mmCIF file of all heavy atoms in Angstrom:
data_model
loop_
_atom_site.group_PDB
_atom_site.id
_atom_site.type_symbol
_atom_site.label_atom_id
_atom_site.label_comp_id
_atom_site.label_asym_id
_atom_site.label_seq_id
_atom_site.Cartn_x
_atom_site.Cartn_y
_atom_site.Cartn_z
ATOM 1 N N THR A 728 -3.344 13.786 5.549
ATOM 2 C CA THR A 728 -4.587 13.033 5.370
ATOM 3 C C THR A 728 -4.967 12.473 6.765
ATOM 4 O O THR A 728 -4.191 11.782 7.382
ATOM 5 C CB THR A 728 -4.401 11.875 4.366
ATOM 6 O OG1 THR A 728 -3.994 12.434 3.092
ATOM 7 C CG2 THR A 728 -5.715 11.146 4.153
ATOM 8 N N ILE A 729 -6.227 12.754 7.175
ATOM 9 C CA ILE A 729 -6.719 12.277 8.448
ATOM 10 C C ILE A 729 -7.244 10.863 8.320
ATOM 11 O O ILE A 729 -8.047 10.569 7.424
ATOM 12 C CB ILE A 729 -7.810 13.212 9.030
ATOM 13 C CG1 ILE A 729 -7.232 14.619 9.191
ATOM 14 C CG2 ILE A 729 -8.326 12.687 10.344
ATOM 15 C CD1 ILE A 729 -8.278 15.627 9.610
ATOM 16 N N LEU A 730 -6.782 9.968 9.211
ATOM 17 C CA LEU A 730 -7.279 8.605 9.259
ATOM 18 C C LEU A 730 -7.984 8.410 10.546
ATOM 19 O O LEU A 730 -7.349 8.236 11.624
ATOM 20 C CB LEU A 730 -6.107 7.621 9.109
ATOM 21 C CG LEU A 730 -5.162 7.840 7.878
ATOM 22 C CD1 LEU A 730 -3.975 6.883 7.948
ATOM 23 C CD2 LEU A 730 -5.905 7.713 6.602
ATOM 24 N N ARG A 731 -9.295 8.437 10.523
ATOM 25 C CA ARG A 731 -10.081 8.415 11.740
ATOM 26 C C ARG A 731 -10.437 6.972 12.210
ATOM 27 O O ARG A 731 -10.809 6.780 13.348
ATOM 28 C CB ARG A 731 -11.393 9.206 11.627
ATOM 29 C CG ARG A 731 -11.141 10.679 11.345
ATOM 30 C CD ARG A 731 -12.400 11.500 11.405
ATOM 31 N NE ARG A 731 -12.176 12.882 11.146
ATOM 32 C CZ ARG A 731 -11.859 13.760 12.085
ATOM 33 N NH1 ARG A 731 -11.724 13.359 13.329
ATOM 34 N NH2 ARG A 731 -11.654 15.061 11.780
ATOM 35 N N ASP A 732 -10.333 5.985 11.320
ATOM 36 C CA ASP A 732 -10.685 4.640 11.726
ATOM 37 C C ASP A 732 -9.727 3.666 11.102
ATOM 38 O O ASP A 732 -8.828 4.016 10.332
ATOM 39 C CB ASP A 732 -12.135 4.292 11.303
ATOM 40 C CG ASP A 732 -12.392 4.605 9.808
ATOM 41 O OD1 ASP A 732 -11.435 4.597 9.023
ATOM 42 O OD2 ASP A 732 -13.558 4.880 9.453
ATOM 43 N N ASP A 733 -9.898 2.384 11.451
ATOM 44 C CA ASP A 733 -8.983 1.353 10.998
ATOM 45 C C ASP A 733 -9.145 1.107 9.503
ATOM 46 O O ASP A 733 -8.197 0.752 8.817
ATOM 47 C CB ASP A 733 -9.214 0.075 11.789
ATOM 48 C CG ASP A 733 -8.234 -1.038 11.443
ATOM 49 O OD1 ASP A 733 -7.049 -0.842 11.638
ATOM 50 O OD2 ASP A 733 -8.658 -2.066 10.935
ATOM 51 N N GLY A 734 -10.363 1.276 8.977
ATOM 52 C CA GLY A 734 -10.533 1.004 7.531
ATOM 53 C C GLY A 734 -9.738 1.962 6.673
ATOM 54 O O GLY A 734 -9.179 1.497 5.669
ATOM 55 N N SER A 735 -9.736 3.236 6.995
ATOM 56 C CA SER A 735 -8.988 4.184 6.165
ATOM 57 C C SER A 735 -7.462 3.933 6.287
ATOM 58 O O SER A 735 -6.772 4.051 5.305
ATOM 59 C CB SER A 735 -9.327 5.628 6.565
ATOM 60 O OG SER A 735 -9.047 5.799 7.980
ATOM 61 N N ALA A 736 -7.009 3.538 7.491
ATOM 62 C CA ALA A 736 -5.590 3.218 7.623
ATOM 63 C C ALA A 736 -5.233 1.968 6.837
ATOM 64 O O ALA A 736 -4.120 1.930 6.192
ATOM 65 C CB ALA A 736 -5.239 3.012 9.132
ATOM 66 N N ARG A 737 -6.080 0.956 6.845
ATOM 67 C CA ARG A 737 -5.756 -0.241 6.076
ATOM 68 C C ARG A 737 -5.798 0.029 4.553
ATOM 69 O O ARG A 737 -4.978 -0.504 3.790
ATOM 70 C CB ARG A 737 -6.811 -1.350 6.397
ATOM 71 C CG ARG A 737 -6.613 -2.009 7.714
ATOM 72 C CD ARG A 737 -7.329 -3.359 7.728
ATOM 73 N NE ARG A 737 -8.725 -3.232 7.387
ATOM 74 C CZ ARG A 737 -9.708 -3.076 8.261
ATOM 75 N NH1 ARG A 737 -9.426 -3.055 9.558
ATOM 76 N NH2 ARG A 737 -10.967 -2.967 7.895
ATOM 77 N N GLY A 738 -6.728 0.896 4.119
ATOM 78 C CA GLY A 738 -6.751 1.227 2.710
ATOM 79 C C GLY A 738 -5.485 1.925 2.260
ATOM 80 O O GLY A 738 -4.947 1.628 1.175
ATOM 81 N N LEU A 739 -4.984 2.842 3.078
ATOM 82 C CA LEU A 739 -3.714 3.560 2.723
ATOM 83 C C LEU A 739 -2.546 2.576 2.706
ATOM 84 O O LEU A 739 -1.703 2.624 1.798
ATOM 85 C CB LEU A 739 -3.486 4.679 3.716
ATOM 86 C CG LEU A 739 -2.238 5.506 3.474
ATOM 87 C CD1 LEU A 739 -2.368 6.277 2.182
ATOM 88 C CD2 LEU A 739 -2.051 6.498 4.637
ATOM 89 N N ALA A 740 -2.470 1.688 3.718
ATOM 90 C CA ALA A 740 -1.361 0.782 3.747
ATOM 91 C C ALA A 740 -1.433 -0.194 2.606
ATOM 92 O O ALA A 740 -0.395 -0.568 2.014
ATOM 93 C CB ALA A 740 -1.382 0.000 5.100
ATOM 94 N N SER A 741 -2.627 -0.658 2.203
ATOM 95 C CA SER A 741 -2.766 -1.579 1.071
ATOM 96 C C SER A 741 -2.320 -0.909 -0.199
ATOM 97 O O SER A 741 -1.679 -1.550 -1.075
ATOM 98 C CB SER A 741 -4.231 -2.001 0.954
ATOM 99 O OG SER A 741 -4.609 -2.718 2.109
ATOM 100 N N ASP A 742 -2.620 0.371 -0.388
ATOM 101 C CA ASP A 742 -2.211 1.084 -1.567
ATOM 102 C C ASP A 742 -0.686 1.107 -1.718
ATOM 103 O O ASP A 742 -0.078 0.831 -2.748
ATOM 104 C CB ASP A 742 -2.762 2.505 -1.566
ATOM 105 C CG ASP A 742 -2.378 3.278 -2.796
ATOM 106 O OD1 ASP A 742 -2.692 2.867 -3.896
ATOM 107 O OD2 ASP A 742 -1.716 4.344 -2.630
ATOM 108 N N ARG A 743 0.020 1.460 -0.633
ATOM 109 C CA ARG A 743 1.479 1.507 -0.644
ATOM 110 C C ARG A 743 2.053 0.090 -0.751
ATOM 111 O O ARG A 743 3.043 -0.104 -1.479
ATOM 112 C CB ARG A 743 2.016 2.138 0.655
ATOM 113 C CG ARG A 743 2.184 3.634 0.627
ATOM 114 C CD ARG A 743 0.997 4.349 0.125
ATOM 115 N NE ARG A 743 1.184 5.811 0.070
ATOM 116 C CZ ARG A 743 0.277 6.631 -0.358
ATOM 117 N NH1 ARG A 743 -0.883 6.179 -0.805
ATOM 118 N NH2 ARG A 743 0.476 7.922 -0.378
ATOM 119 N N TYR A 744 1.478 -0.862 -0.129
ATOM 120 C CA TYR A 744 1.952 -2.249 -0.204
ATOM 121 C C TYR A 744 1.841 -2.803 -1.627
ATOM 122 O O TYR A 744 2.751 -3.471 -2.147
ATOM 123 C CB TYR A 744 1.193 -3.120 0.789
ATOM 124 C CG TYR A 744 1.597 -4.590 0.794
ATOM 125 C CD1 TYR A 744 2.747 -4.989 1.473
ATOM 126 C CD2 TYR A 744 0.875 -5.537 0.102
ATOM 127 C CE1 TYR A 744 3.122 -6.295 1.455
ATOM 128 C CE2 TYR A 744 1.216 -6.859 0.109
ATOM 129 C CZ TYR A 744 2.359 -7.250 0.792
ATOM 130 O OH TYR A 744 2.738 -8.573 0.795
ATOM 131 N N ASP A 745 0.698 -2.549 -2.268
ATOM 132 C CA ASP A 745 0.529 -3.014 -3.630
ATOM 133 C C ASP A 745 1.542 -2.379 -4.630
ATOM 134 O O ASP A 745 2.016 -3.070 -5.504
ATOM 135 C CB ASP A 745 -0.902 -2.675 -4.109
ATOM 136 C CG ASP A 745 -1.970 -3.459 -3.359
ATOM 137 O OD1 ASP A 745 -1.595 -4.495 -2.757
ATOM 138 O OD2 ASP A 745 -3.124 -3.063 -3.387
ATOM 139 N N TYR A 746 1.860 -1.128 -4.362
ATOM 140 C CA TYR A 746 2.867 -0.511 -5.235
ATOM 141 C C TYR A 746 4.247 -1.183 -5.063
ATOM 142 O O TYR A 746 4.923 -1.471 -6.042
ATOM 143 C CB TYR A 746 3.023 0.985 -4.907
ATOM 144 C CG TYR A 746 4.206 1.625 -5.525
ATOM 145 C CD1 TYR A 746 4.282 1.864 -6.872
ATOM 146 C CD2 TYR A 746 5.333 1.953 -4.740
ATOM 147 C CE1 TYR A 746 5.396 2.435 -7.471
ATOM 148 C CE2 TYR A 746 6.457 2.508 -5.318
ATOM 149 C CZ TYR A 746 6.469 2.772 -6.667
ATOM 150 O OH TYR A 746 7.607 3.298 -7.233
ATOM 151 N N VAL A 747 4.672 -1.461 -3.824
ATOM 152 C CA VAL A 747 5.940 -2.083 -3.574
ATOM 153 C C VAL A 747 5.977 -3.512 -4.136
ATOM 154 O O VAL A 747 6.906 -3.937 -4.795
ATOM 155 C CB VAL A 747 6.251 -2.085 -2.086
ATOM 156 C CG1 VAL A 747 7.549 -2.893 -1.766
ATOM 157 C CG2 VAL A 747 6.435 -0.647 -1.565
ATOM 158 N N ILE A 748 4.914 -4.262 -3.919
ATOM 159 C CA ILE A 748 4.828 -5.640 -4.440
ATOM 160 C C ILE A 748 4.828 -5.649 -5.972
ATOM 161 O O ILE A 748 5.530 -6.461 -6.607
ATOM 162 C CB ILE A 748 3.619 -6.339 -3.893
ATOM 163 C CG1 ILE A 748 3.748 -6.554 -2.369
ATOM 164 C CG2 ILE A 748 3.433 -7.710 -4.545
ATOM 165 C CD1 ILE A 748 4.962 -7.356 -1.952
ATOM 166 N N GLY A 749 4.115 -4.712 -6.580
ATOM 167 C CA GLY A 749 4.120 -4.647 -8.048
ATOM 168 C C GLY A 749 5.477 -4.346 -8.621
ATOM 169 O O GLY A 749 5.906 -4.914 -9.619
ATOM 170 N N ASP A 750 6.213 -3.394 -7.935
ATOM 171 C CA ASP A 750 7.569 -3.088 -8.408
ATOM 172 C C ASP A 750 8.472 -4.284 -8.247
ATOM 173 O O ASP A 750 9.348 -4.563 -9.132
ATOM 174 C CB ASP A 750 8.077 -1.894 -7.607
ATOM 175 C CG ASP A 750 9.454 -1.428 -8.095
ATOM 176 O OD1 ASP A 750 9.548 -0.994 -9.255
ATOM 177 O OD2 ASP A 750 10.446 -1.580 -7.359
ATOM 178 N N ARG A 751 8.330 -5.023 -7.167
ATOM 179 C CA ARG A 751 9.163 -6.209 -6.967
ATOM 180 C C ARG A 751 8.864 -7.276 -8.025
ATOM 181 O O ARG A 751 9.788 -7.967 -8.508
ATOM 182 C CB ARG A 751 8.907 -6.766 -5.525
ATOM 183 C CG ARG A 751 9.711 -8.053 -5.223
ATOM 184 C CD ARG A 751 11.190 -7.808 -5.282
ATOM 185 N NE ARG A 751 11.912 -9.036 -5.033
ATOM 186 C CZ ARG A 751 12.254 -9.439 -3.793
ATOM 187 N NH1 ARG A 751 11.916 -8.694 -2.741
ATOM 188 N NH2 ARG A 751 12.906 -10.551 -3.588
ATOM 189 N N GLN A 752 7.607 -7.442 -8.321
ATOM 190 C CA GLN A 752 7.249 -8.451 -9.355
ATOM 191 C C GLN A 752 7.818 -8.091 -10.716
ATOM 192 O O GLN A 752 8.222 -8.952 -11.472
ATOM 193 C CB GLN A 752 5.721 -8.592 -9.396
ATOM 194 C CG GLN A 752 5.131 -9.249 -8.175
ATOM 195 C CD GLN A 752 3.628 -9.289 -8.193
ATOM 196 O OE1 GLN A 752 3.009 -8.686 -9.091
ATOM 197 N NE2 GLN A 752 3.006 -9.984 -7.233
ATOM 198 N N ARG A 753 7.818 -6.778 -11.042
ATOM 199 C CA ARG A 753 8.413 -6.377 -12.303
ATOM 200 C C ARG A 753 9.907 -6.672 -12.348
ATOM 201 O O ARG A 753 10.436 -7.081 -13.355
ATOM 202 C CB ARG A 753 8.126 -4.897 -12.536
ATOM 203 C CG ARG A 753 6.693 -4.568 -12.897
ATOM 204 C CD ARG A 753 6.569 -3.139 -13.372
ATOM 205 N NE ARG A 753 6.937 -2.186 -12.293
ATOM 206 C CZ ARG A 753 6.014 -1.645 -11.502
ATOM 207 N NH1 ARG A 753 4.769 -2.008 -11.570
ATOM 208 N NH2 ARG A 753 6.392 -0.812 -10.542
ATOM 209 N N GLN A 754 10.572 -6.489 -11.200
ATOM 210 C CA GLN A 754 11.993 -6.792 -11.179
ATOM 211 C C GLN A 754 12.255 -8.261 -11.284
ATOM 212 O O GLN A 754 13.177 -8.698 -11.910
ATOM 213 C CB GLN A 754 12.599 -6.206 -9.862
ATOM 214 C CG GLN A 754 12.573 -4.668 -9.829
ATOM 215 C CD GLN A 754 13.145 -4.189 -8.508
ATOM 216 O OE1 GLN A 754 13.550 -4.974 -7.665
ATOM 217 N NE2 GLN A 754 13.147 -2.853 -8.363
ATOM 218 N N ASP A 755 11.424 -9.069 -10.609
ATOM 219 C CA ASP A 755 11.619 -10.518 -10.616
ATOM 220 C C ASP A 755 11.382 -11.078 -11.978
ATOM 221 O O ASP A 755 12.042 -12.055 -12.432
ATOM 222 C CB ASP A 755 10.704 -11.237 -9.580
ATOM 223 C CG ASP A 755 11.113 -10.866 -8.169
ATOM 224 O OD1 ASP A 755 12.241 -10.400 -7.966
ATOM 225 O OD2 ASP A 755 10.274 -11.056 -7.269
#
C-alpha cells in the first residue's frame, strides 16, 4: 500500500493502534 502523504500514514497507524488498544481493553 503506497502512503504518499502524512494523512494516509496516520490513518493506517490509527487503524492498527485502535485494534491493539481494543484487544487490551477486552483483556482488562
Side-chain angles (χ1 to χ4, degrees):
T728 302
I729 301 176
L730 307 176
R731 297 188 180 274
D732 51 27
D733 184 62
S735 56
R737 284 200 306 266
L739 181 65
S741 299
D742 179 59
R743 270 50 179 178
Y744 179 79
D745 293 341
Y746 167 73
V747 174
I748 294 300
D750 183 65
R751 177 62 182 272
Q752 291 175 353
R753 288 191 296 268
Q754 294 178 2
D755 293 343

